Amino acid sequence: MSGITIGHLYPEHLNIYADRGNIAVLDRRCAWRGIPFEVVAVDVGDPLPRADLYYLGGGQDRDQMLIAGDLVRHAADLASAVADGAGVLAVCGGYQLLGHSYRGHQGAEMPGIGLVDLVTEAGSTRMIGNIVLECELDAGDRRRLVGFENHAGRTTLGAGLTPLGRVLSGHGNNGSDGGEGVHAGGIIGTYVHGPLLPKNPWLADWLIRRALAGGGSGEPLEPLDDALELEAGRVAQAIAGA
Ligand code: GLN
């Protein structure tokens, strides 16, 4: 059976709020189904491996500053991997660096890789709390996504870009336009930690299915018993008041 290779960018620097847990969820959900799963870590100075899905977690401004220049080295290769069907999942600090630039809370401007048309600037307050979104990654298939956000960055999407979801409770990209994250083909960017995937198994499966299909929507995956995950999601929604 064909498997999945994850390119995990900067696991030492971008791993705030246990974002590494997202990899653990992808790993387990593949293992339970007998899907071979491999993670290749990419640290500063390393070459970019071929992967079905590239992952970047969140980080504080100072951590982002340490890797932003190195990430720019991979901008062209990441763009061509995405054009060839690879997916990208980027959380918070990693999400910000998918765009053109991020001006941090002390005013330093970090370069992004311009993979998606968005810019981010830190505001004077942090946007913190539980968050609930309504997403529709595939037409007609509406899903709730729950988690936790904590960011100073305000992200503005370019015209024509679609957010990952509509904020039902929480702040989202900038606290004003009602959108959270970005969804562009196989690219998902989001401010949602928790980590993201344990309470949102449907999104983990969306990523796995796409990665297995090399970018297409692929075959439905064998269902798993998600009772515990869904209950955690329901509790989180209740706490968020959505
Ligand atoms: N440093 C960024 C911000 O404050 C991202 C934070 C994060 O990854 N949690 O907006």
Side-chain angles (χ1 to χ4, degrees), residues 104-169:
H105 73 275
Q106 289 182 323
E109 179 145 325
M110 294 169 227
I113 59 171
L115 186 64
V116 273
D117 179 21
L118 58 87
V119 288
T120 306
E121 286 191 16
S124 54
T125 55
R126 298 194 71 78
M127 304 203 276
I128 305 176
N130 297 300
I131 178 163
V132 182
L133 313 180
E134 182 170 78
C135 304
E136 193 173 338
L137 297 187
D138 297 312
D141 188 12
R142 285 204 196 149
R143 304 282 186 148
R144 289 274 173 111
L145 187 142
V146 298
F148 180 79
E149 61 181 330
N150 182 354
H151 51 108
R154 272 75 169 154
T155 296
T156 307
L157 304 187
L161 267 186
T162 313
L164 169 62
R166 189 168 64 83
V167 177
L168 300 181
S169 169

Short mmCIF file of all heavy atoms in Angstrom, two decimals, residues 104-169:
data_model
loop_
_atom_site.label_atom_id
_atom_site.label_comp_id
_atom_site.label_asym_id
_atom_site.label_seq_id
_atom_site.Cartn_x
_atom_site.Cartn_y
_atom_site.Cartn_z
N GLY A 104 6.48 41.59 13.25
CA GLY A 104 6.29 41.10 14.61
C GLY A 104 5.97 42.19 15.61
O GLY A 104 5.93 43.39 15.26
N HIS A 105 5.73 41.81 16.85
CA HIS A 105 5.23 42.80 17.82
C HIS A 105 6.30 43.82 18.21
O HIS A 105 5.99 44.86 18.76
CB HIS A 105 4.60 42.11 19.04
CG HIS A 105 5.57 41.48 19.97
ND1 HIS A 105 6.06 40.22 19.77
CD2 HIS A 105 6.14 41.94 21.10
CE1 HIS A 105 6.90 39.93 20.75
NE2 HIS A 105 6.96 40.95 21.57
N GLN A 106 7.57 43.54 17.90
CA GLN A 106 8.58 44.57 18.15
C GLN A 106 8.96 45.33 16.88
O GLN A 106 9.94 46.06 16.85
CB GLN A 106 9.80 43.93 18.81
CG GLN A 106 9.48 43.51 20.24
CD GLN A 106 10.64 42.91 20.97
OE1 GLN A 106 11.43 42.19 20.37
NE2 GLN A 106 10.75 43.20 22.25
N GLY A 107 8.19 45.11 15.85
CA GLY A 107 8.37 45.92 14.64
C GLY A 107 9.25 45.30 13.57
O GLY A 107 9.33 45.82 12.46
N ALA A 108 9.95 44.19 13.91
CA ALA A 108 10.84 43.59 12.90
C ALA A 108 10.00 42.91 11.83
O ALA A 108 9.04 42.20 12.15
CB ALA A 108 11.76 42.58 13.56
N GLU A 109 10.37 43.15 10.58
CA GLU A 109 9.63 42.50 9.48
C GLU A 109 10.35 41.24 9.04
O GLU A 109 11.53 41.26 8.74
CB GLU A 109 9.49 43.46 8.31
CG GLU A 109 8.75 42.80 7.16
CD GLU A 109 7.86 43.74 6.39
OE1 GLU A 109 7.28 44.66 6.98
OE2 GLU A 109 7.75 43.53 5.16
N MET A 110 9.61 40.13 9.07
CA MET A 110 10.19 38.86 8.62
C MET A 110 9.66 38.55 7.24
O MET A 110 8.50 38.78 6.96
CB MET A 110 9.74 37.72 9.55
CG MET A 110 10.27 37.86 10.94
SD MET A 110 9.43 36.67 11.99
CE MET A 110 9.03 37.75 13.37
N PRO A 111 10.53 38.00 6.40
CA PRO A 111 10.05 37.63 5.07
C PRO A 111 9.22 36.37 5.15
O PRO A 111 9.51 35.47 5.95
CB PRO A 111 11.36 37.35 4.29
CG PRO A 111 12.33 36.89 5.35
CD PRO A 111 11.95 37.64 6.62
N GLY A 112 8.17 36.29 4.35
CA GLY A 112 7.44 35.03 4.19
C GLY A 112 7.81 34.44 2.85
O GLY A 112 8.66 34.98 2.14
N ILE A 113 7.17 33.33 2.50
CA ILE A 113 7.54 32.67 1.25
C ILE A 113 6.56 32.98 0.11
O ILE A 113 6.75 32.50 -0.99
CB ILE A 113 7.68 31.13 1.42
CG1 ILE A 113 6.38 30.50 1.93
CG2 ILE A 113 8.84 30.81 2.35
CD1 ILE A 113 6.40 28.98 1.92
N GLY A 114 5.54 33.76 0.42
CA GLY A 114 4.62 34.18 -0.65
C GLY A 114 3.89 33.02 -1.32
O GLY A 114 3.45 33.13 -2.47
N LEU A 115 3.74 31.91 -0.60
CA LEU A 115 3.02 30.76 -1.18
C LEU A 115 1.53 31.08 -1.32
O LEU A 115 0.86 30.58 -2.21
CB LEU A 115 3.23 29.54 -0.29
CG LEU A 115 2.70 28.20 -0.77
CD1 LEU A 115 3.41 27.76 -2.06
CD2 LEU A 115 2.86 27.12 0.30
N VAL A 116 1.04 31.89 -0.40
CA VAL A 116 -0.34 32.38 -0.50
C VAL A 116 -0.32 33.89 -0.33
O VAL A 116 0.56 34.45 0.33
CB VAL A 116 -1.30 31.74 0.55
CG1 VAL A 116 -1.87 30.44 0.05
CG2 VAL A 116 -0.63 31.54 1.87
N ASP A 117 -1.32 34.53 -0.92
CA ASP A 117 -1.36 35.99 -0.96
C ASP A 117 -1.96 36.53 0.34
O ASP A 117 -3.16 36.79 0.40
CB ASP A 117 -2.19 36.40 -2.20
CG ASP A 117 -2.33 37.90 -2.33
OD1 ASP A 117 -1.50 38.63 -1.75
OD2 ASP A 117 -3.28 38.33 -3.02
N LEU A 118 -1.12 36.64 1.34
CA LEU A 118 -1.59 37.21 2.61
C LEU A 118 -0.45 37.93 3.30
O LEU A 118 0.72 37.64 3.05
CB LEU A 118 -2.21 36.13 3.51
CG LEU A 118 -1.37 34.92 3.91
CD1 LEU A 118 -0.55 35.19 5.17
CD2 LEU A 118 -2.30 33.74 4.18
N VAL A 119 -0.80 38.89 4.14
CA VAL A 119 0.21 39.60 4.93
C VAL A 119 -0.26 39.63 6.38
O VAL A 119 -1.47 39.59 6.66
CB VAL A 119 0.43 41.06 4.47
CG1 VAL A 119 1.17 41.12 3.16
CG2 VAL A 119 -0.87 41.83 4.41
N THR A 120 0.71 39.73 7.29
CA THR A 120 0.38 39.75 8.71
C THR A 120 1.19 40.83 9.42
O THR A 120 2.39 40.98 9.16
CB THR A 120 0.70 38.38 9.35
OG1 THR A 120 0.03 37.36 8.61
CG2 THR A 120 0.25 38.34 10.79
N GLU A 121 0.50 41.56 10.29
CA GLU A 121 1.18 42.53 11.15
C GLU A 121 0.70 42.33 12.56
O GLU A 121 -0.51 42.16 12.79
CB GLU A 121 0.83 43.97 10.73
CG GLU A 121 1.51 44.37 9.46
CD GLU A 121 1.39 45.87 9.20
OE1 GLU A 121 1.05 46.62 10.14
OE2 GLU A 121 1.63 46.25 8.04
N ALA A 122 1.62 42.37 13.52
CA ALA A 122 1.21 42.22 14.92
C ALA A 122 0.48 43.48 15.36
O ALA A 122 0.87 44.60 15.01
CB ALA A 122 2.43 41.98 15.78
N GLY A 123 -0.57 43.29 16.16
CA GLY A 123 -1.26 44.41 16.78
C GLY A 123 -0.76 44.59 18.20
O GLY A 123 0.15 43.86 18.66
N SER A 124 -1.36 45.51 18.93
CA SER A 124 -0.85 45.81 20.27
C SER A 124 -1.44 44.87 21.33
O SER A 124 -0.98 44.84 22.45
CB SER A 124 -1.17 47.26 20.63
OG SER A 124 -2.55 47.46 20.45
N THR A 125 -2.46 44.13 20.97
CA THR A 125 -3.03 43.17 21.93
C THR A 125 -2.96 41.77 21.33
O THR A 125 -2.86 41.62 20.10
CB THR A 125 -4.53 43.48 22.19
OG1 THR A 125 -5.20 43.50 20.91
CG2 THR A 125 -4.70 44.80 22.90
N ARG A 126 -3.03 40.76 22.20
CA ARG A 126 -3.04 39.39 21.69
C ARG A 126 -4.49 38.91 21.58
O ARG A 126 -5.34 39.29 22.39
CB ARG A 126 -2.26 38.46 22.62
CG ARG A 126 -0.80 38.83 22.73
CD ARG A 126 0.00 37.72 23.37
NE ARG A 126 0.15 36.56 22.51
CZ ARG A 126 1.02 36.49 21.51
NH1 ARG A 126 1.83 37.49 21.25
NH2 ARG A 126 1.09 35.40 20.77
N MET A 127 -4.76 38.10 20.63
CA MET A 127 -6.09 37.52 20.46
C MET A 127 -6.01 36.09 20.99
O MET A 127 -5.37 35.23 20.38
CB MET A 127 -6.49 37.59 18.99
CG MET A 127 -6.42 39.03 18.50
SD MET A 127 -7.43 39.41 17.08
CE MET A 127 -6.37 38.90 15.79
N ILE A 128 -6.64 35.91 22.15
CA ILE A 128 -6.46 34.67 22.90
C ILE A 128 -7.82 34.07 23.22
O ILE A 128 -8.73 34.79 23.62
CB ILE A 128 -5.73 34.95 24.25
CG1 ILE A 128 -4.41 35.67 24.00
CG2 ILE A 128 -5.49 33.66 25.03
CD1 ILE A 128 -3.66 36.08 25.27
N GLY A 129 -7.94 32.78 23.11
CA GLY A 129 -9.14 32.10 23.60
C GLY A 129 -9.55 30.92 22.76
O GLY A 129 -8.90 30.57 21.76
N ASN A 130 -10.64 30.29 23.20
CA ASN A 130 -11.18 29.16 22.43
C ASN A 130 -11.82 29.70 21.15
O ASN A 130 -12.33 30.81 21.12
CB ASN A 130 -12.23 28.43 23.28
CG ASN A 130 -11.59 27.83 24.51
OD1 ASN A 130 -10.70 27.00 24.40
ND2 ASN A 130 -12.01 28.28 25.68
N ILE A 131 -11.78 28.88 20.14
CA ILE A 131 -12.30 29.34 18.85
C ILE A 131 -13.06 28.21 18.18
O ILE A 131 -12.69 27.04 18.29
CB ILE A 131 -11.15 29.88 17.95
CG1 ILE A 131 -11.66 30.32 16.58
CG2 ILE A 131 -10.00 28.88 17.80
CD1 ILE A 131 -10.68 31.23 15.83
N VAL A 132 -14.15 28.58 17.54
CA VAL A 132 -14.96 27.61 16.79
C VAL A 132 -15.21 28.18 15.39
O VAL A 132 -15.57 29.35 15.25
CB VAL A 132 -16.32 27.34 17.48
CG1 VAL A 132 -17.11 26.29 16.71
CG2 VAL A 132 -16.12 26.90 18.92
N LEU A 133 -15.01 27.33 14.40
CA LEU A 133 -15.22 27.75 13.01
C LEU A 133 -16.25 26.86 12.34
O LEU A 133 -16.42 25.71 12.73
CB LEU A 133 -13.95 27.59 12.17
CG LEU A 133 -12.63 28.09 12.70
CD1 LEU A 133 -11.54 27.80 11.68
CD2 LEU A 133 -12.73 29.57 12.99
N GLU A 134 -16.84 27.39 11.31
CA GLU A 134 -17.58 26.53 10.39
C GLU A 134 -16.80 26.50 9.08
O GLU A 134 -16.49 27.55 8.51
CB GLU A 134 -18.99 27.06 10.14
CG GLU A 134 -19.74 26.11 9.21
CD GLU A 134 -21.20 26.47 9.14
OE1 GLU A 134 -21.54 27.43 8.43
OE2 GLU A 134 -22.00 25.78 9.81
N CYS A 135 -16.45 25.29 8.64
CA CYS A 135 -15.63 25.12 7.44
C CYS A 135 -16.42 24.36 6.38
O CYS A 135 -17.30 23.57 6.70
CB CYS A 135 -14.39 24.27 7.76
SG CYS A 135 -13.38 24.92 9.09
N GLU A 136 -16.04 24.60 5.15
CA GLU A 136 -16.63 23.82 4.04
C GLU A 136 -15.52 23.61 3.01
O GLU A 136 -15.48 24.27 1.97
CB GLU A 136 -17.83 24.58 3.45
CG GLU A 136 -18.66 23.71 2.54
CD GLU A 136 -19.95 24.39 2.07
OE1 GLU A 136 -20.43 25.33 2.73
OE2 GLU A 136 -20.48 23.96 1.03
N LEU A 137 -14.60 22.68 3.33
CA LEU A 137 -13.45 22.46 2.43
C LEU A 137 -13.90 21.82 1.13
O LEU A 137 -13.31 22.07 0.08
CB LEU A 137 -12.41 21.57 3.11
CG LEU A 137 -11.76 22.14 4.38
CD1 LEU A 137 -10.63 21.25 4.85
CD2 LEU A 137 -11.24 23.55 4.13
N ASP A 138 -14.90 20.96 1.23
CA ASP A 138 -15.48 20.36 0.02
C ASP A 138 -16.92 20.85 -0.05
O ASP A 138 -17.63 20.84 0.97
CB ASP A 138 -15.44 18.83 0.10
CG ASP A 138 -14.01 18.32 0.16
OD1 ASP A 138 -13.19 18.77 -0.66
OD2 ASP A 138 -13.70 17.50 1.05
N ALA A 139 -17.33 21.26 -1.23
CA ALA A 139 -18.66 21.86 -1.38
C ALA A 139 -19.73 20.95 -0.79
O ALA A 139 -19.76 19.75 -1.07
CB ALA A 139 -18.94 22.14 -2.85
N GLY A 140 -20.57 21.52 0.04
CA GLY A 140 -21.69 20.78 0.61
C GLY A 140 -21.35 20.01 1.88
O GLY A 140 -22.23 19.41 2.49
N ASP A 141 -20.07 19.98 2.27
CA ASP A 141 -19.65 19.20 3.44
C ASP A 141 -19.22 20.16 4.56
O ASP A 141 -18.04 20.49 4.69
CB ASP A 141 -18.50 18.26 3.05
CG ASP A 141 -18.15 17.29 4.16
OD1 ASP A 141 -18.92 17.17 5.12
OD2 ASP A 141 -17.08 16.66 4.06
N ARG A 142 -20.20 20.65 5.32
CA ARG A 142 -19.91 21.64 6.38
C ARG A 142 -19.44 20.95 7.64
O ARG A 142 -20.05 19.97 8.08
CB ARG A 142 -21.15 22.43 6.71
CG ARG A 142 -21.44 23.42 5.67
CD ARG A 142 -22.26 24.56 6.23
NE ARG A 142 -22.81 25.28 5.10
CZ ARG A 142 -23.96 25.90 5.10
NH1 ARG A 142 -24.69 25.94 6.19
NH2 ARG A 142 -24.38 26.52 4.02
N ARG A 143 -18.38 21.48 8.23
CA ARG A 143 -17.82 20.88 9.45
C ARG A 143 -17.49 21.96 10.45
O ARG A 143 -17.09 23.06 10.10
CB ARG A 143 -16.49 20.17 9.12
CG ARG A 143 -16.59 19.13 8.04
CD ARG A 143 -17.19 17.87 8.58
NE ARG A 143 -17.14 16.83 7.56
CZ ARG A 143 -16.99 15.55 7.85
NH1 ARG A 143 -16.90 15.14 9.10
NH2 ARG A 143 -16.96 14.67 6.89
N ARG A 144 -17.62 21.60 11.73
CA ARG A 144 -17.15 22.48 12.81
C ARG A 144 -15.69 22.18 13.10
O ARG A 144 -15.28 21.01 13.12
CB ARG A 144 -17.95 22.22 14.08
CG ARG A 144 -19.39 22.71 14.00
CD ARG A 144 -19.46 24.17 14.39
NE ARG A 144 -20.80 24.70 14.17
CZ ARG A 144 -21.64 25.05 15.15
NH1 ARG A 144 -21.30 24.89 16.41
NH2 ARG A 144 -22.81 25.57 14.85
N LEU A 145 -14.92 23.21 13.37
CA LEU A 145 -13.53 23.05 13.76
C LEU A 145 -13.33 23.81 15.07
O LEU A 145 -13.78 24.96 15.20
CB LEU A 145 -12.63 23.61 12.65
CG LEU A 145 -11.13 23.37 12.81
CD1 LEU A 145 -10.51 23.09 11.44
CD2 LEU A 145 -10.44 24.55 13.43
N VAL A 146 -12.72 23.17 16.05
CA VAL A 146 -12.57 23.80 17.37
C VAL A 146 -11.11 23.80 17.79
O VAL A 146 -10.33 22.95 17.37
CB VAL A 146 -13.40 23.06 18.45
CG1 VAL A 146 -14.86 23.11 18.13
CG2 VAL A 146 -12.93 21.63 18.62
N GLY A 147 -10.75 24.76 18.63
CA GLY A 147 -9.39 24.81 19.11
C GLY A 147 -9.16 26.06 19.95
O GLY A 147 -10.10 26.61 20.53
N PHE A 148 -7.92 26.50 19.94
CA PHE A 148 -7.49 27.58 20.81
C PHE A 148 -6.56 28.49 20.01
O PHE A 148 -5.71 28.00 19.28
CB PHE A 148 -6.75 26.98 22.01
CG PHE A 148 -6.25 28.00 22.99
CD1 PHE A 148 -7.11 28.57 23.91
CD2 PHE A 148 -4.92 28.39 22.98
CE1 PHE A 148 -6.65 29.53 24.81
CE2 PHE A 148 -4.45 29.35 23.88
CZ PHE A 148 -5.32 29.91 24.79
N GLU A 149 -6.76 29.79 20.16
CA GLU A 149 -5.87 30.72 19.43
C GLU A 149 -5.15 31.64 20.42
O GLU A 149 -5.69 31.97 21.48
CB GLU A 149 -6.67 31.55 18.42
CG GLU A 149 -7.76 32.40 19.06
CD GLU A 149 -8.57 33.22 18.06
OE1 GLU A 149 -8.05 33.62 17.01
OE2 GLU A 149 -9.76 33.47 18.35
N ASN A 150 -3.96 32.04 20.06
CA ASN A 150 -3.18 32.99 20.86
C ASN A 150 -2.16 33.64 19.94
O ASN A 150 -1.10 33.08 19.68
CB ASN A 150 -2.47 32.28 22.02
CG ASN A 150 -1.69 33.25 22.89
OD1 ASN A 150 -1.59 34.45 22.56
ND2 ASN A 150 -1.14 32.76 23.98
N HIS A 151 -2.51 34.81 19.43
CA HIS A 151 -1.61 35.46 18.47
C HIS A 151 -1.77 36.97 18.55
O HIS A 151 -2.86 37.48 18.84
CB HIS A 151 -1.89 34.97 17.04
CG HIS A 151 -3.33 35.06 16.62
ND1 HIS A 151 -3.79 35.97 15.71
CD2 HIS A 151 -4.43 34.33 16.99
CE1 HIS A 151 -5.10 35.79 15.52
NE2 HIS A 151 -5.52 34.81 16.30
N ALA A 152 -0.66 37.66 18.26
CA ALA A 152 -0.72 39.12 18.14
C ALA A 152 -0.94 39.48 16.67
O ALA A 152 -1.48 40.53 16.35
CB ALA A 152 0.58 39.73 18.63
N GLY A 153 -0.52 38.59 15.78
CA GLY A 153 -0.60 38.86 14.35
C GLY A 153 -2.04 39.00 13.87
O GLY A 153 -2.92 38.25 14.28
N ARG A 154 -2.24 39.99 13.01
CA ARG A 154 -3.51 40.19 12.30
C ARG A 154 -3.20 39.88 10.84
O ARG A 154 -2.36 40.56 10.22
CB ARG A 154 -3.98 41.65 12.37
CG ARG A 154 -4.82 41.99 13.58
CD ARG A 154 -4.02 42.12 14.84
NE ARG A 154 -4.80 42.70 15.93
CZ ARG A 154 -4.56 42.49 17.21
NH1 ARG A 154 -3.57 41.70 17.61
NH2 ARG A 154 -5.30 43.07 18.13
N THR A 155 -3.91 38.90 10.32
CA THR A 155 -3.64 38.46 8.95
C THR A 155 -4.74 38.94 8.01
O THR A 155 -5.92 38.84 8.33
CB THR A 155 -3.55 36.92 8.91
OG1 THR A 155 -2.43 36.53 9.70
CG2 THR A 155 -3.38 36.38 7.50
N THR A 156 -4.31 39.46 6.87
CA THR A 156 -5.27 39.90 5.85
C THR A 156 -5.03 39.07 4.59
O THR A 156 -3.91 39.01 4.08
CB THR A 156 -5.04 41.40 5.53
OG1 THR A 156 -5.08 42.13 6.75
CG2 THR A 156 -6.13 41.92 4.60
N LEU A 157 -6.09 38.43 4.14
CA LEU A 157 -5.99 37.62 2.91
C LEU A 157 -6.15 38.51 1.69
O LEU A 157 -6.91 39.48 1.71
CB LEU A 157 -7.11 36.56 2.87
CG LEU A 157 -7.23 35.58 4.03
CD1 LEU A 157 -8.28 34.50 3.70
CD2 LEU A 157 -5.90 34.92 4.37
N GLY A 158 -5.42 38.15 0.64
CA GLY A 158 -5.58 38.86 -0.62
C GLY A 158 -6.97 38.63 -1.21
O GLY A 158 -7.64 37.65 -0.86
N ALA A 159 -7.38 39.52 -2.12
CA ALA A 159 -8.71 39.41 -2.73
C ALA A 159 -8.83 38.05 -3.41
O ALA A 159 -7.90 37.58 -4.04
CB ALA A 159 -8.89 40.53 -3.75
N GLY A 160 -9.96 37.42 -3.22
CA GLY A 160 -10.21 36.15 -3.90
C GLY A 160 -9.75 34.93 -3.13
O GLY A 160 -10.05 33.81 -3.51
N LEU A 161 -9.00 35.13 -2.04
CA LEU A 161 -8.60 33.96 -1.24
C LEU A 161 -9.71 33.60 -0.26
O LEU A 161 -10.41 34.46 0.27
CB LEU A 161 -7.33 34.27 -0.44
CG LEU A 161 -6.00 33.89 -1.09
CD1 LEU A 161 -4.87 34.13 -0.11
CD2 LEU A 161 -6.00 32.43 -1.53
N THR A 162 -9.82 32.30 0.01
CA THR A 162 -10.90 31.82 0.87
C THR A 162 -10.33 31.47 2.24
O THR A 162 -9.32 30.76 2.32
CB THR A 162 -11.49 30.52 0.27
OG1 THR A 162 -11.72 30.74 -1.10
CG2 THR A 162 -12.77 30.12 0.96
N PRO A 163 -10.96 31.94 3.31
CA PRO A 163 -10.49 31.52 4.63
C PRO A 163 -10.77 30.04 4.86
O PRO A 163 -11.61 29.44 4.18
CB PRO A 163 -11.28 32.39 5.61
CG PRO A 163 -12.43 32.93 4.86
CD PRO A 163 -12.09 32.87 3.39
N LEU A 164 -10.07 29.46 5.82
CA LEU A 164 -10.34 28.07 6.19
C LEU A 164 -11.76 27.92 6.70
O LEU A 164 -12.43 26.93 6.45
CB LEU A 164 -9.33 27.64 7.28
CG LEU A 164 -9.61 26.32 7.98
CD1 LEU A 164 -9.58 25.16 6.99
CD2 LEU A 164 -8.59 26.09 9.08
N GLY A 165 -12.21 28.91 7.47
CA GLY A 165 -13.57 28.83 7.99
C GLY A 165 -14.08 30.19 8.42
O GLY A 165 -13.36 31.19 8.43
N ARG A 166 -15.37 30.18 8.77
CA ARG A 166 -16.05 31.37 9.27
C ARG A 166 -16.06 31.27 10.78
O ARG A 166 -16.39 30.21 11.34
CB ARG A 166 -17.48 31.32 8.71
CG ARG A 166 -18.32 32.54 8.91
CD ARG A 166 -19.58 32.41 8.03
NE ARG A 166 -20.42 31.28 8.42
CZ ARG A 166 -21.31 31.31 9.41
NH1 ARG A 166 -21.50 32.41 10.12
NH2 ARG A 166 -22.03 30.24 9.71
N VAL A 167 -15.67 32.35 11.45
CA VAL A 167 -15.58 32.32 12.91
C VAL A 167 -16.97 32.35 13.53
O VAL A 167 -17.75 33.27 13.29
CB VAL A 167 -14.77 33.55 13.42
CG1 VAL A 167 -14.73 33.56 14.94
CG2 VAL A 167 -13.36 33.55 12.85
N LEU A 168 -17.29 31.31 14.32
CA LEU A 168 -18.56 31.31 15.07
C LEU A 168 -18.32 31.87 16.45
O LEU A 168 -19.22 32.44 17.07
CB LEU A 168 -19.10 29.88 15.17
CG LEU A 168 -19.42 29.18 13.86
CD1 LEU A 168 -19.97 27.78 14.11
CD2 LEU A 168 -20.42 29.99 13.02
N SER A 169 -17.11 31.65 16.96
CA SER A 169 -16.76 32.15 18.29
C SER A 169 -15.24 32.30 18.31
O SER A 169 -14.53 31.37 17.95
CB SER A 169 -17.23 31.13 19.33
OG SER A 169 -16.71 31.45 20.59
#
